[in-house]
Amino acid sequence: LGIVKDPILFMGKPKLFWWIIGSTHVWKSAGFGAIIYLASMTSIDPQLYEAADIDGASRLQRIFHITLPGIRPTFVILLILNIGYLMEAGFEQQWLLQNGLVQDYSEVFTIYVVRYGLKLTRFSFATAAGIFRSAVSILLIAIANSIASRMGEETLL
């Protein structure tokens, strides 16, 4: 198109690495999330929307007072399930998209364990770090589950 005269090395600029990781993660998970939330929205009684329409509710009022409370249990369950992956921090994407130019910016806990523990054959360190990561993930899930139960949602545990 002639908009940019010089090519931009997106994967070679450390400041752009996390923007690329974030946007590719959103792109990767948006489709599945849309399917889950649309399926959840089908369980909402259509008579609620008809009654709100007759009462004169605007589209935003119907969203905030019918749709969002209707998909709240699905949102809470998906939040609890995804909090367990917080310590992983998208290992696969960062492992595959990193290169020598952005290596200092792309290293997360799991990549550090793979490099230091497995490549240097420090298997005991890698095992201890994996157990630590699992323990922290379980703790985060338990905290999120207790917060959800305090909010009045059914809990997983």
Side-chain angles (χ1 to χ4, degrees):
L1 297 174
I3 297 172
V4 179
K5 296 188 186 231
D6 295 325
I8 300 172
L9 184 61
F10 287 105
M11 297 305 295
K13 295 191 181 233
K15 292 182 180 180
L16 295 178
F17 182 78
W18 287 105
W19 289 100
I20 292 170
I21 290 292
S23 61
T24 56
H25 179 71
V26 168
W27 181 262
K28 179 181 78 167
S29 61
F32 180 72
I35 291 170
I36 296 294
Y37 287 115
L38 285 173
S40 177
M41 286 170 43
T42 60
S43 68
I44 299 172
D45 188 11
Q47 292 178 354
L48 292 173
Y49 290 109
E50 293 172 7
D53 193 29
I54 291 171
D55 288 342
S58 67
R59 182 178 293 246
L60 283 176
Q61 289 173 330
R62 285 182 278 180
I63 289 171
F64 285 115
H65 297 289
I66 299 172
T67 306
L68 292 179
I71 64 171
R72 181 178 165 187
T74 304
F75 176 76
V76 169
I77 291 295
L78 287 177
L79 179 68
I80 291 171
L81 291 174
N82 286 324
I83 280 183
Y85 294 111
L86 192 62
M87 286 294 289
E88 189 173 312
F91 166 74
E92 293 89 7
Q93 283 181 305
Q94 291 157 4
W95 181 259
L96 293 173
L97 293 178
Q98 72 177 346
N99 56 41
L101 297 173
V102 295
Q103 189 170 0
D104 294 336
Y105 289 85
S106 66
E107 192 158 311
V108 292
F109 184 72
T110 312
I111 293 175
Y112 176 76
V113 169
V114 167
R115 284 187 195 211
Y116 188 74
L118 298 179
K119 286 190 176 181
L120 297 177
T121 63
R122 299 219 31 222
F123 300 119
S124 60
F125 173 79
T127 303
I131 291 171
F132 171 75
R133 188 185 73 202
S134 298
V136 171
S137 295
I138 290 171
L139 179 69
L140 289 173
I141 290 172
I143 290 170
N145 199 20
S146 68
I147 291 171
S149 66
R150 287 186 193 142
M151 290 174 45
E153 297 294 327
E154 295 180 16
T155 60
L156 295 175
L157 299 176

